[in-house]
Amino acid sequence: MQPNGDANQRIATISAHLNPRNLQMEESSGLQQVNCRAKGGSSGFRVAILGAAGGIGQPLAMLMKMNPLVSVLHLYDVVNSPGVTADISHMDTGAVVRGFLGQNQLENALTGMDLVIIPAGVPRKPGMTRDDLFNINAGIVKTLCEGVAKCCPEAIVNLISNPVNSTVPIAAEVFKKAGTYDPKRLLGVTMLDVVRANTFVAEVLGTDPREVDVPVVGGHAGVTILPLLSQVKPPCSFTREETDYLTTRIQNGGTEVVEAKAGAGSATLSMAYAAVKFADACLRGLRGDAGVVQCAFVASQVTELPFFASKVRLGRTGIEDIHPLGPLNEYERIGLDKAKKELASSIEKGISFIKK
């Protein structure tokens, strides 16, 4: 049997969770309110999700609540964030969840954050290209990044909002205008392309996708997505037909989901999974773990373009190293030329949006 003091301590802890200022109980029982976790959270990182009530945001928020590296999780959206917050806050994991609703609460949502994940924006629908998303999502990203520049300029930013090939340059220009731009801390999330590549290659090889690593470089739309199948780990070779099939399917993975959902949505669940996988890598880098390498769309000198997706090593300051492309075969060199032409116009579109 536990000593009476321990029982009282447990009762006080439960009371503090249910009613942080239960004065009546304190006076009647003599129990002193303990410091409740809801006041601050466990040791770890502070993460904000902007667009937390959306199709990507909700599963993303749930998965981040499960991440042991997260101590405080801020959920922001212009609609429905109180309900998502209440729902996810009931999960018995270590992170404390706080919700923020509407533009007037954006600054509170961002203050003090270590990592900001931005899935906000409208999803792609059947027949809609990523360029069709631009006019809506560009303005959303601009507003949110202005908040980041003001309230947590040293945070790592994971940008998911499409079209990533244009929204990352938009974010960079916003941060430049604010005088807070650090290219090491701005990362466009292309992890879904890697996740798909690993899955589709594993299907062809007849192996576990968790044992496959496919570098995917370039950008995050159509022909800008370039899987380097010659650099797959474990090493393997593909016929020309297999290479064509895999490259096309990886490039069109988003369209495959949009069409399969027949107007009911886009790739939200797999994107949330990929986003959490990438966010976890960023947090492990911030923690100081060695050898954390993932692909991302970042400011780069790997090519003549100002932004390019390739493997990056993550650390305490964000990006610590950008890997070169390595040896490419002829198929990949042709694909790279196509990717760069498309990327150049998408990047310029984002830069021009802020400068116009």
Side-chain angles (χ1 to χ4, degrees), residues 139-158:
I140 294 171
V141 168
K142 176 179 180 290
T143 298
L144 296 178
C145 287
E146 287 170 346
V148 171
K150 181 177 181 181
C151 302
C152 54
E154 295 186 356
I156 306 295
V157 176
N158 287 180

Side-chain angles (χ1 to χ4, degrees), residues 60-135:
L60 171 58
M62 181 186 74
L63 292 168
M64 290 305 294
K65 177 74 164 76
M66 297 167 63
N67 191 310
L69 295 179
V70 179
S71 62
V72 176
L73 183 62
H74 283 190
L75 305 181
Y76 169 87
D77 214 317
V78 294
V79 293
N80 302 330
S81 53
V84 175
T85 302
D87 194 356
I88 288 175
S89 69
H90 291 180
M91 295 168 59
D92 59 348
T93 66
V96 172
V97 182
R98 302 186 180 109
F100 302 85
L101 177 65
Q103 182 67 35
N104 63 333
Q105 293 190 9
L106 176 60
E107 292 186 10
N108 289 338
L110 288 169
T111 299
M113 294 296 102
D114 300 304
L115 173 67
V116 178
I117 309 172
I118 308 179
V122 300
R124 194 154 62 107
K125 298 175 182 177
M128 182 185 285
T129 68
R130 284 179 172 83
D131 279 344
D132 293 331
L133 301 177
F134 180 81
N135 288 332

Side-chain angles (χ1 to χ4, degrees), residues 267-291:
T268 54
L269 302 176
S270 54
M271 182 64 247
Y273 165 80
V276 168
K277 191 172 182 179
F278 187 74
D280 181 72
C282 290
L283 294 178
R284 287 186 286 115
L286 285 173
R287 186 174 63 178
D289 291 14

